[in-house]
Amino acid sequence: MARPYRPGPKQFVFTAGDGTAQHVSVGDPQEAYVAFSAFFRGRESDTYTIRDEPARQSLVLMPRLGVISRIEDADPPRSAHLRIDRANRYLPSAMLFFENGYRGLDHFGQWFPDLADLDASPETRGAARAATITTQAAALEEVARIWADSGYVDPSDQYYVFFDSHDVDDDRAERATLLPLIELLGLERVDAPAGAAGGEVWVRTDPRLVAECARWS
């Protein structure tokens, strides 16, 4: 059950690129998510914005561009932008925003401060992300985040599997981030078994990986 807003209810404004606007008053994040899901699925638009006016924060979904932006009118103002490779990522991002606002999306993916950064290839974006991670603690956290998004533990408990059932053309930026971090951590990557999807990455279990991934399960 979603944690109620305190103080509540909380007000959000949903707007679409066609000029449609909807004001909602909700008691908890799940109620907000249900209302926005209906708004999002009920039309076709190039942009959808969720605005939390008291917090001075916004989330902007741009399905036609494959981009999510988050904005905070702080001092100084800040914004971050994320390239989305899968259509089923938009509504989960909204739920995280309803739960914890701007900061709730910190670990949702590879955020960049400039929209122009998103024009780089997925491999370039992933490598740039990996290059910013220089400690083992940060590398473990990022590896666990990627695993939690699309992975599982092999039934034998010997392997952590990333990008479950995904093809090599899926999650290219995330894969380009993951592979250097596996090397940085000294984890052992193994060949995927026959019949596995081409984009899966299999890594032999490691006590550090077990402990960190447990936090994300």
Side-chain angles (χ1 to χ4, degrees):
M1 185 175 180
R3 183 179 70 252
Y5 289 127
R6 301 200 184 280
K10 192 168 185 175
Q11 284 73 43
F12 293 96
V13 180
F14 308 152
T15 56
D18 60 6
T20 304
Q22 179 180 342
H23 296 250
V24 299
S25 179
V26 292
D28 59 54
Q30 183 63 35
E31 189 178 350
Y33 174 81
V34 170
F36 181 71
S37 295
F39 181 84
F40 181 82
R41 291 175 171 145
R43 58 187 42 81
E44 291 188 9
S45 181
D46 54 351
T47 62
Y48 300 83
T49 301
I50 303 168
R51 177 70 179 172
D52 181 347
E53 190 58 50
R56 301 171 65 192
Q57 296 180 351
S58 300
L59 183 71
V60 184
L61 313 182
M62 294 171 269
R64 293 180 184 172
L65 293 179
V67 171
I68 294 175
S69 295
R70 55 178 178 158
I71 302 162
E72 183 172 49
D73 300 331
D75 186 17
R78 58 177 179 161
S79 61
H81 312 279
L82 173 68
R83 176 71 69 189
I84 292 296
D85 297 323
R86 288 177 277 141
N88 62 1
R89 301 280 282 167
Y90 293 104
L91 288 177
S93 75
M95 185 63 185
L96 292 173
F97 184 76
F98 290 133
E99 289 177 331
N100 290 300
Y102 188 102
R103 293 182 59 187
L105 290 130
D106 283 351
H107 300 296
F108 190 65
Q110 300 174 358
W111 295 95
F112 291 87
D114 194 321
L115 268 171
D117 294 332
L118 302 185
D119 292 334
S121 72
E123 289 75 16
T124 299
R125 286 186 279 116
R129 169 70 175 168
T132 67
I133 300 171
T134 57
T135 68
Q136 290 215 349
L140 270 172
E141 183 178 36
E142 183 72 355
V143 167
R145 177 193 68 77
I146 294 171
W147 173 83
D149 185 51
S150 62
Y152 71 98
V153 180
D154 177 67
S156 70
D157 286 333
Q158 296 184 62
Y159 307 104
Y160 275 68
V161 182
F162 297 79
F163 313 120
D164 176 31
S165 302
H166 294 187
D167 293 328
V168 290
D169 290 332
D170 299 330
D171 305 292
R172 290 161 54 196
E174 295 279 62
R175 189 173 290 101
T177 301
L178 175 68
L179 297 182
L181 298 183
I182 288 174
E183 290 190 19
L184 174 64
L185 292 168
L187 300 173
E188 181 184 355
R189 183 180 176 187
V190 300
D191 292 336
E200 291 185 355
V201 174
W202 287 57
V203 174
R204 193 175 299 279
T205 190
D206 177 282
R208 297 167 298 164
L209 198 57
V210 172
E212 186 64 29
C213 287
R215 297 178 54 237
W216 292 78
S217 298

